[in-house]
Amino acid sequence: MKLAVASWLNESCPPPNPPIHSRDKTGRGFYNDATARLLCPVDFDWANTAAKEGIRNYEPNFQVTAHSWPSFVYRDGEYDREDPTKGLFKGSFLVRTFKHIFTSPSSAADVRPDEELPLEPLPKRPRTQGERRTRSDVATLLGMRSVQPRAIAYSAVQLRFALSSCGSWRNLDDDFEHDQFYIYIVNYFEHPPTPTAKASVDALLLWWNR
C-alpha cells in the first residue's frame, strides 16, 4: 500500500511539497502536510497553526488517538459537526484502498468519491495456449459478493498505516491504536445504537455496494 498511496498523493493537484517518497516513510505522517491533512483527527483543523503545532509537539490537548475519526474517512475530508455521519466512510482514498486490496490495483487508478464499487468479476476471455494462469482478485478468492464492513475497516487500517511515518507495522503509532480503530469501525457498522443509526448504516452499505 505504501507505494500506491505515494503514487496517488504525488499525482494529486496540487502535488505535495516535498513529494512523498515511495519507499522511505519517515517523511510521511504529520511531517508532511499532504499526509497530515488525511491523518488529522476531525476534532482538529490541520490548517490551524495551533492545531498543527500541537499535534507535532505531542501536546496533551492535541492527542491523535483512535477515538476520533481521521479526516480520510470523510468525503473530501470534510467533517460536518452538525451531521457527523455526512460523508462518513466515503473518502476517495479509502475507496481507492479498498479497490486496490480487494479488486485490483488498476481498479483504484481513478476513483471518484461517488463512484460505484462493483465486486462482480469481469467476464474472462478464454486463455490462449501457453498463456500463464493469473491470480484471481482477493474478493473473488474470499467469495466476497458484496462489500462487507470488516473489509472496509481493514482497508481503513491499511490506509492509515500507509499514510503514517511508521517504517514497519506496529499496532501502536504514538497514541493511535490500529486494532482499536478497526474495532470502532466494525462496531459502527455492526452495532448501531438506534433504528435511525441502523438506517444510516444500511444506506451507507448500499452506497458501497451500488
Side-chain angles (χ1 to χ4, degrees):
M1 279 308 307
K2 69 177 181 180
L3 299 179
V5 168
S7 176
W8 300 340
L9 286 169
N10 288 330
E11 292 170 359
S12 61
C13 186
N17 184 23
I20 306 297
H21 196 284
S22 61
R23 297 189 182 276
D24 183 3
K25 293 183 65 189
T26 56
R28 300 190 191 187
F30 292 103
Y31 300 105
N32 188 298
D33 283 337
T35 49
R37 276 192 295 269
L38 294 167
L39 291 171
C40 186
V42 295
D43 292 334
F44 312 127
D45 180 4
W46 186 252
N48 182 285
T49 302
K52 182 183 295 189
E53 292 179 353
I55 291 173
R56 284 179 168 169
N57 294 327
Y58 302 96
E59 294 179 12
N61 291 333
F62 293 96
Q63 283 188 310
V64 178
T65 72
H67 297 288
S68 180
W69 298 128
S71 295
F72 71 74
V73 301
Y74 279 90
R75 189 201 305 264
D76 298 325
E78 296 180 359
Y79 171 64
D80 186 345
R81 295 185 184 276
E82 300 299 320
D83 184 5
T85 64
K86 182 180 179 180
L88 181 59
F89 298 116
K90 292 184 178 181
S92 59
F93 277 90
L94 177 58
V95 173
R96 295 180 86 167
T97 300
F98 176 91
K99 284 195 164 191
H100 183 91
I101 295 171
F102 290 100
T103 55
S104 70
S106 60
S107 71
D110 184 22
V111 171
R112 297 180 302 277
D114 59 348
E115 189 181 45
E116 296 180 358
L117 296 170
L119 278 181
E120 294 291 335
L122 295 173
K124 297 180 180 178
R125 63 175 176 81
R127 269 197 309 275
T128 59
Q129 185 175 5
E131 188 176 11
R132 293 190 303 172
R133 182 182 298 273
T134 58
R135 293 187 303 169
S136 297
D137 59 75
V138 174
T140 300
L141 291 172
L142 294 176
M144 283 177 58
R145 310 306 295 179
S146 62
V147 180
Q148 300 298 313
R150 297 187 180 218
I152 298 172
Y154 178 79
S155 301
V157 170
Q158 291 300 314
L159 175 56
R160 206 278 170 187
F161 173 70
L163 291 167
S164 76
S165 58
C166 295
S168 59
W169 170 259
R170 57 175 180 263
N171 180 52
L172 188 63
D173 176 17
D174 293 325
D175 296 312
F176 191 97
E177 296 178 81
H178 289 100
D179 61 347
Q180 198 64 54
F181 181 47
Y182 176 88
I183 291 169
Y184 285 154
I185 297 174
V186 170
N187 286 343
Y188 177 86
F189 282 96
E190 297 186 355
H191 304 289
T194 65
T196 301
K198 185 179 186 307
S200 178
V201 166
D202 290 344
L204 177 57
L205 286 173
L206 182 63
W207 181 88
W208 273 89
N209 282 287
R210 286 181 303 166

